[in-house]
Amino acid sequence: MTEEITTRPARTRYAPSPTGSPHIGNIRTAIFAYLWARHTGGQFLLRIEDTDRKRLVEGSLENIKDSLLWLGLDWDEGPGKGGPFGPYVQSERLELFQSVAKKMVEDGTAYYCYCTPERLDAVNKAKQAAKQAPGYDRRCRTITEAEKDAALASGLTPTVRFKVPLEGVTTFRDLVVKPLTVENSTIQDAVLLKSDGYPTYHLAHIVDDHYMEITHVIRAQEWLPSAPLHVMIYNALGWTMPAFVHAPVILNPPGQKGKLSKRDNAVSVSQYQELGYLPEALLNFLVLLGWSYDDHTEFFTMQELIEKFDIRRIQPTPAKFNLDKLDWINAHYINHVLSVDDYARRCLPFLAESGVISPETAADPGDKWEFIRAACALVKDKVKILTEVPVEIDFLFKPGTDLQYPATDLIGKNDTPAAAAQVLEETITYLRQIPNETYNDREALLAGLSDISENKLHLKNRGLMLWPPRVALSGRTKSPDLMGMIITLGRDETIARLEQARQNLASLG
RNA sequence: GGCGCAUUCGUCUAGCGGCCUAGGACGCAUCCCUCUCAAGGAUGAGACCACGGGUUCGAAUCCCGUAUGCGCUACCA
């Protein structure tokens, strides 16, 4: 068994309902399924489970596809791709489900149920009142012909229910969760085919997984309780079951109870995209929620994940969502993995979104690219998510005259207005007279300013020399690297801002 | 209520009977570096391995209870 798992190419699937942007927990399961298919050299399918017409959300399919693609999860078969086992949308496979349901009734493993929703409700209430477990009383298993005719005559369309074996126990084996055994009598006669002709999940996923030749069903742990029911259905159909992995649920962050909910957290893939998380970082973070490779590896490229991923190392324990760690991983990718060009290019939409540049410029930066790239680069090592970039560098894009800051900020620690003014004075003089090569050379600039600090102004430390220009250029007390700002802003703008600062200082009296 | 699964630092985890006086990471604290903020480096605090019983020469690792958490209990998935 164990050997089979590792050697055979697996066919896995991600089978979401089209109810909006994929939930982060849901997509994590998709990641597991994808990695396992790729790891074994098999196929990853996308299947849309749209059998609940009431919950359909417009645009979901595109949303699902976009999220998958954004994260780098491409599917081999499914919507937009086709494949030998299509269609891959359940609402287009109704005849199949209906014929299977019909056959089960003929085989005696399922039966028509003529109960009305009202009666079902009443049965439940009565059971609860009697302190019994709620559930269907299996009445239609023994319904008489006369009663059946009466129901039909009233215009009612029957559902098809699974005929659960009343005796014995059923054992379900999972690849990560320990074996589970239940008394058959505690399982419900689940509806297989609804009165609207659509199958329920219980029927649809089994039929599809069977005909699509899925080898490994990787799904959320919420399905665990109904797994024994699925075992019985497979048995009733005479089909062999694929291997199962029930991935752990993702819980709310520490301090909050329950599974990850949108009440207090971002939960959809698109939300994280909009917040400025990188797909590779989100993927890396998510895969580590419930899975680990060893005791120390934290970062993985997609290639490494495909190589190293093993479903048997998936954890059975629910994991809390830890935003701090996601931020750390994201910052790591921004700072240490992305090239400056790549990073700056990804900043464009966020700069446009916040109004720092125009949408037109974001779409085609043209000759503004060099400046934008340099500006973004200034904060590459300090930003955790891309939405922070515009707030960190917007002052570079505004006219210097728009900078608003208290003139007292220009005075460094242990410094005086006069000393600060003198520093600005000297800096201006210095920047005016140096050649372009020096101006655009970080190290040379720093050396020049250090020299003035030490040998001309005799300042106690270089910090006193660099502080006033920092505030003058950025209008802030926390800013990017001074030399970087001087170079990025260019000589004219830099000197203009320094001059302006000097005047602000003078106004202090 | 019933059924089920799970239980190692605040969090994510390593560990699959002796290598564990339990390792790594995030976060936190302190220090170093340093032009501010970060990044980076170092150090540290932090888990009697939920609790109680067993099994064994020996248990975080196996078994049984209890507690807690989570999930399911629809003509939703």
Side-chain angles (χ1 to χ4, degrees):
Chain A
M1 179 74 176
T2 305
E3 283 313 301
E4 269 178 40
I5 289 173
T6 51
T7 52
R8 276 199 196 156
R11 283 176 63 82
T12 66
R13 44 60 163 189
Y14 173 48
S17 289
T19 53
S21 178
H23 186 277
I24 225 74
N26 200 238
I27 211 76
R28 199 273 319 262
T29 315
I31 293 170
F32 286 166
Y34 173 84
L35 292 175
W36 187 240
R38 290 284 173 269
H39 176 76
T40 59
Q43 294 84 43
F44 175 63
L45 333 203
L46 172 61
R47 182 174 77 217
I48 303 301
E49 308 212 327
D50 58 345
T51 57
D52 185 353
R53 296 164 308 154
K54 296 183 287 290
R55 299 205 313 164
L56 301 185
V57 173
E58 192 72 24
S60 294
L61 213 207
E62 284 314 307
N63 225 269
I64 289 165
K65 293 203 274 193
D66 289 349
S67 294
L68 249 21
L69 261 14
W70 182 64
L71 285 167
L73 311 176
D74 53 307
W75 55 100
D76 303 297
E77 298 170 28
K81 271 275 166 69
F85 302 94
Y88 295 88
V89 175
Q90 290 186 329
S91 60
E92 295 170 19
R93 303 166 64 79
L94 258 28
E95 318 76 53
L96 211 211
F97 303 127
Q98 286 163 185
S99 70
V100 171
K102 188 167 174 243
K103 181 170 183 304
M104 289 177 77
V105 172
E106 287 163 8
D107 291 348
T109 57
Y111 60 95
Y112 289 111
C113 174
Y114 302 88
C115 294
T116 61
E118 292 72 34
R119 189 183 107 78
L120 260 19
D121 199 42
V123 169
N124 264 332
K125 289 214 168 100
K127 284 203 173 192
Q128 274 168 350
K131 297 260 188 205
Q132 288 177 348
Y136 182 53
D137 59 6
R138 316 192 209 259
R139 177 168 182 259
C140 291
R141 278 193 183 208
T142 54
I143 197 173
T144 64
E145 284 299 321
E147 288 171 315
K148 188 187 297 182
D149 291 341
L152 252 19
S154 74
L156 191 141
T157 314
T159 61
V160 174
R161 282 186 188 269
F162 181 61
K163 195 183 281 182
V164 172
L166 268 15
E167 315 252 295
V169 297
T170 297
T171 297
F172 168 78
R173 287 173 197 287
D174 190 274
L175 260 27
V176 315
V177 181
K178 78 171 187 190
L180 177 170
T181 301
V182 294
E183 295 280 342
N184 291 166
S185 59
T186 65
I187 306 288
Q188 294 286 311
D189 279 359
V191 170
L192 260 21
L193 200 67
K194 299 182 267 188
S195 57
D196 63 2
Y198 281 72
T200 59
Y201 171 79
H202 302 302
L203 207 224
H205 92 277
I206 287 175
V207 170
D208 281 351
D209 286 342
H210 175 72
Y211 285 110
M212 292 179 185
E213 298 180 6
I214 297 301
T215 60
H216 298 259
V217 173
I218 300 169
R219 61 172 21 165
Q221 227 167 54
E222 293 128 74
W223 290 111
L224 202 50
S226 53
L229 168 71
H230 302 330
V231 171
M232 294 186 213
I233 297 176
Y234 272 103
N235 288 159
L237 256 10
W239 294 344
T240 45
M241 284 183 82
F244 278 79
V245 171
H246 285 90
V249 178
I250 296 180
L251 267 23
N252 271 320
Q256 295 174 33
K257 284 178 165 282
K259 51 176 182 173
L260 186 62
S261 62
K262 62 181 172 187
R263 186 174 189 80
D264 300 299
N265 308 287
V267 295
S268 69
V269 174
S270 59
Q271 278 175 295
Y272 284 91
Q273 185 174 4
E274 285 159 17
L275 283 167
Y277 288 94
L278 308 181
E280 46 272 75
L282 187 60
L283 179 91
N284 197 142
F285 170 73
L286 252 20
V287 80
L288 248 20
L289 225 47
W291 176 83
S292 67
Y293 173 63
D294 56 19
D295 63 349
H296 66 278
T297 313
E298 302 284 348
F299 299 107
F300 301 87
T301 61
M302 183 64 99
Q303 257 329 299
E304 288 166 337
L305 283 175
I306 289 171
E307 247 168 64
K308 298 175 166 164
F309 185 75
D310 188 328
I311 37 176
R312 286 161 301 178
R313 282 190 67 89
I314 291 175
Q315 193 90 8
T317 319
K320 288 202 168 83
F321 189 88
N322 184 186
L323 198 62
D324 280 337
K325 180 121 180 202
L326 206 210
D327 282 344
W328 174 72
I329 290 178
N330 205 61
H332 173 88
Y333 274 87
I334 289 176
N335 195 180
H336 302 291
V337 178
L338 260 40
S339 68
V340 174
D341 277 320
D342 190 1
Y343 155 74
R345 197 158 32 74
R346 301 202 208 196
C347 287
L348 292 172
F350 295 94
L351 292 171
E353 178 64 29
S354 64
V356 169
I357 61 176
S358 69
E360 293 73 31
T361 303
D364 178 21
D367 56 8
K368 295 195 177 104
W369 171 244
E370 281 308 319
F371 179 78
I372 294 171
R373 180 184 178 281
C376 290
L378 288 179
V379 294
K380 186 170 182 276
D381 62 358
K382 69 185 306 185
V383 112
K384 288 206 272 287
I385 52 180
L386 262 18
T387 40
E388 289 171 0
V389 174
V391 334
E392 291 291 338
I393 63 174
D394 62 347
F395 67 88
L396 294 168
F397 293 80
K398 299 193 285 203
T401 47
D402 280 8
L403 294 186
Q404 298 282 337
Y405 59 90
T408 49
D409 278 357
L410 290 162
I411 305 163
K413 206 194 240 177
N414 299 324
D415 214 334
T416 64
Q422 197 181 8
V423 165
L424 291 173
E425 184 77 54
E426 290 295 338
T427 306
I428 292 168
T429 308
Y430 171 69
L431 293 177
R432 275 214 174 100
Q433 52 106 68
I434 55 175
N436 284 341
E437 308 83 71
T438 308
Y439 188 95
N440 289 305
D441 183 330
R442 241 197 118 266
E443 297 308 317
L445 269 182
L446 183 57
L449 292 174
S450 297
D451 182 55
I452 295 169
S453 169
E454 199 175 328
N455 301 319
K456 193 163 186 184
L457 299 177
H458 306 293
L459 299 177
K460 283 195 296 267
N461 60 59
R462 197 158 64 180
L464 296 176
M465 179 74 199
L466 303 182
W467 183 267
R470 150 166 297 106
V471 177
L473 297 188
S474 67
R476 308 168 177 211
T477 54
K478 295 176 183 177
S479 82
D481 170 64
L482 212 216
M483 308 312 132
M485 292 194 291
I486 290 175
I487 295 168
T488 306
L489 248 15
R491 198 179 320 227
D492 292 347
E493 180 62 22
T494 297
I495 290 174
R497 292 187 185 199
L498 293 172
E499 289 283 10
Q500 187 190 325
R502 203 169 54 161
Q503 284 166 30
N504 292 344
L505 218 40
S507 73
L508 232 44

